[in-house]
Amino acid sequence: MKMLVPPKFRVVRDATRCIGCQVCVNQCSFDAHYYDAEDVVVCSRDENCVACHRCATFCPTGALTITRNPLDYRENQNWHREDIEDIWRQAESGGMLLTGMGTDKGYPIYWDHLLLNASQVTNPSIDPLREPMELTTYLGRKPDKVKISPDSLKLETEMAPQVRIDVPVMFSAMSYGAVSLNVHKSLARAATEMGTLWNTGEGGLHPSLYKYGKNTIVQVASGRFGVQPSYLHAARVVEIKIGQGAKPGIGGHLPAEKVSAEVSMTRMIPRGTDALSPAPQHDIYSIEDLTQLIYALKEATNYTKPISVKIAAVHNSAAIASGMVRAGADIIVLDGLRGATGAAPKVIRDNVGIPIELALASVDTRLRQEGIRNQASLVISGGIRNSGDVTKAIALGADAVNIGTAALVALGCHVCQQCHTGKCAWGICTTDLSLTRRINPEIGARRLANLLRGWSLEIKDMLGGMGINAIESLRGNRLHLRGVGLTDTELEILGVRMAGS
Amino acid sequence: MERNKTATLATIDATSLHYRNLNAQLRDLVAGGTEKIIINNVYGQRYIGTDLNKPVEIEIHGTPGNDLGAFMDGPTVTIYGNAQDGTGNTMNDGRIIVHGRAGDITGLSARGGEIYVRDSVGYRAGIHMKAFGDKMPALVIGSTAQDFVGEYMAGGVLILLGIGLEGNQHKASFIGTGMHGGAIYFRGSIEEHQLGKEVGIAELSGEDRTTLTRLVTKFSRYFNCDAEGILKEKFTKLYPKYLRPYGQLYTY
């Protein structure tokens, strides 16, 4: 069948600069460059280019530029290039469109409509360079009240397990298989260095990473890959994955191309098969069943670890979250519409779920109204891009945030949305050993730790500006937020006032 | 709780005992070196045997609750009564022997060990069982199972012995839907329309026979029935037709 989809990008090679070294040929995992031995010249296959810029970054003479293919369709406000080409793709294959990363559609980013406060005259701001600033956060169930013995001054209340993180930013769940072992190593080392947590995702924990257990959240998802007693015991937190922002309500198929020998071992599935995660967990059909799995895991770990439950932010998240807390979850994780994935049907990624800002505000409000907000920590993810987003999320009610895409970008990801192909030229979202070598875990860990260090400094600066010296004092402190360009309904759901009011 | 000082045997009366206390006692006993524990008067306590990682023997008299032996790693649990849902959920190693029937999702995501059920099981038994290297879980069911048995199976062995089956006919539908590893052996008849789309039918190979004989012999020993008589009759194998049952769903 004639393929109608034209190349999306054009590789522009400056002949005056190209020295024919073939670095681009070797770097491109999508075969967009090739060497023509007959004419002794390096050429391009534009149709294979995904604009990941691996070649342009590594071209020693700067001879390469990637541009959009200027092939324009006739102007049409209803039928955009993407709509037309998607139909062609499906007409040629009969399949579901698969994609990677978070949605690229222009849904509102509420962080960009929220502004933080600062102290002026009436109360002093704090200079974090000279004064201690506290970013320490404790995740886990908090008691309704604490009792201290008047004689010994010791705590009498029995506390649920608490996990201390030194910066309120953790790494999102990204499974081994979706990302490479070197990415897991980078995340684990960075989390250990920075006193925070990384998350195995649902693909199990490679044997070489058990030593990072104190900084590891292990996931129990519908596929139950790699879930064994030693895995649960190694972890700091055990997380039940119900859903993910990029694909609420559906399971996952890790394509066989990414099931390498080691992935096969870690997940306990045959080589050459797709790793299938069913849409539901078949032991959870209700809130009561969720209680059952939460307590199965508490029993399996002898009540020593907080149990986290992760859901995608959907229309009735607030009611679901209330059920989750009552079911016994110590931490609840909300993953918003803009959350990313290693592979998801495009139609789901781009159309299902709600923005994380609205979900966070409504869940926090609901849990407060019901007087149970203390019973679980609230972690959010799905589109956190910078420390400003982190600070606003905490002011809106989160205890901490998870970053996935931002962490991968720190490692070199160019957000080209080809994760599902397993060909990631940056060696991140692939298990091809010739590509995974492109991430050096030591350098990767340094880049990630640097990012968290930079964000910590910025968060402290913002806190100091507000006259606050501990992140705890900002949590849910929505008076430090004001909205711009929002409707009354949006302001009401977010629980913030209009800027100027 | 009574502990026999000479032998390493203990007895627990589970009357009115919350599962948390029951499991705490089991943990303490096993840590203390007790090798056999008899639990009497079990009335629906969940998670019995979870978080035990030694090859101890546990005898349950009564009706244990859901998630019996979930994540369990080594013990042999014998139930004189029926088991409920989620028996052997994500079990890693050990053995569960049910002198009665077991409920839904028996053996869910089991990674190792063996489960023997004298009578029948509920829906989605053996769903997503896995295997790798020498870890090869087995679920042996004396009679039959309900719909979606062996769904999403990625490894391991599931056997339906069809004992006492009415008209010799299994009634489950969607057998082995999404199966992409492992094997199901059954005695009695199954029509083709009862099978998931991803399942093929085959005769048993010599290797299949060896596995079947080994597991049926054990089953017969536990439940005191005639292994030879069972094995004499015809068994059929169900296998995953495709390594990638959903490989054609997507376009890139």
Side-chain angles (χ1 to χ4, degrees), chain A residues 96 223 227 274 276 292 299, chain B residues 27 47 111 128 130 249 251:
Chain A
M96 288 197 272
V227 180
D274 297 326
L276 306 178
Q292 182 172 304
E299 280 290 335
Chain B
R27 253 186 221 110
Y47 320 121
R111 310 160 43 86
H128 226 308
K130 300 175 182 65
L249 273 183
T251 181

Side-chain angles (χ1 to χ4, degrees), chain A residues 89-90 93-98 158 220 222-229 232-233 253 255-257 261 264-265 267-274 276-279 282-283 285 288 291-293 295-303 345 420-421, chain B residues 18-21 23-24 27 46-47 50-51 53 66-67 70-73 85-86 89-90 92 105 108-112 124 127-132 135-137 151-152 154-155 178 180-182 242-252:
Chain A
R89 263 191 205 96
Q90 293 192 286
S93 70
M96 288 197 272
L97 295 162
L98 199 66
E158 197 184 325
V220 174
S222 64
R224 298 287 159 85
F225 299 114
V227 180
Q228 54 184 321
L232 301 175
H233 286 294
H253 298 168
E257 289 84 0
S264 160
M265 172 192 73
R267 294 199 179 212
M268 281 188 79
I269 51 166
R271 276 206 78 176
T273 70
D274 297 326
L276 306 178
S277 292
H282 278 291
D283 48 359
Y285 288 3
E288 291 76 11
T291 309
Q292 182 172 304
L293 185 59
Y295 279 88
L297 291 167
K298 287 189 179 186
E299 280 290 335
T301 54
N302 199 9
Y303 301 86
H420 58 293
T421 63
Chain B
H18 189 266
Y19 66 74
R20 192 167 173 177
N21 298 332
N23 270 325
R27 253 186 221 110
R46 290 176 174 180
Y47 320 121
T50 296
D51 198 27
N53 56 4
N66 291 351
D67 275 345
F71 310 106
M72 194 174 77
D73 202 14
D85 297 342
N89 184 350
T90 325
N92 200 47
I105 54 168
L108 164 73
S109 286
R111 310 160 43 86
R124 297 184 202 272
I127 177 175
H128 226 308
M129 286 196 337
K130 300 175 182 65
F132 192 84
K135 289 204 91 68
M136 174 68 69
E151 186 184 21
Y152 273 123
H180 53 292
Y242 319 107
L243 267 173
R244 305 186 62 178
Y246 304 118
Q248 301 304 314
L249 273 183
Y250 303 111
T251 181
Y252 290 4

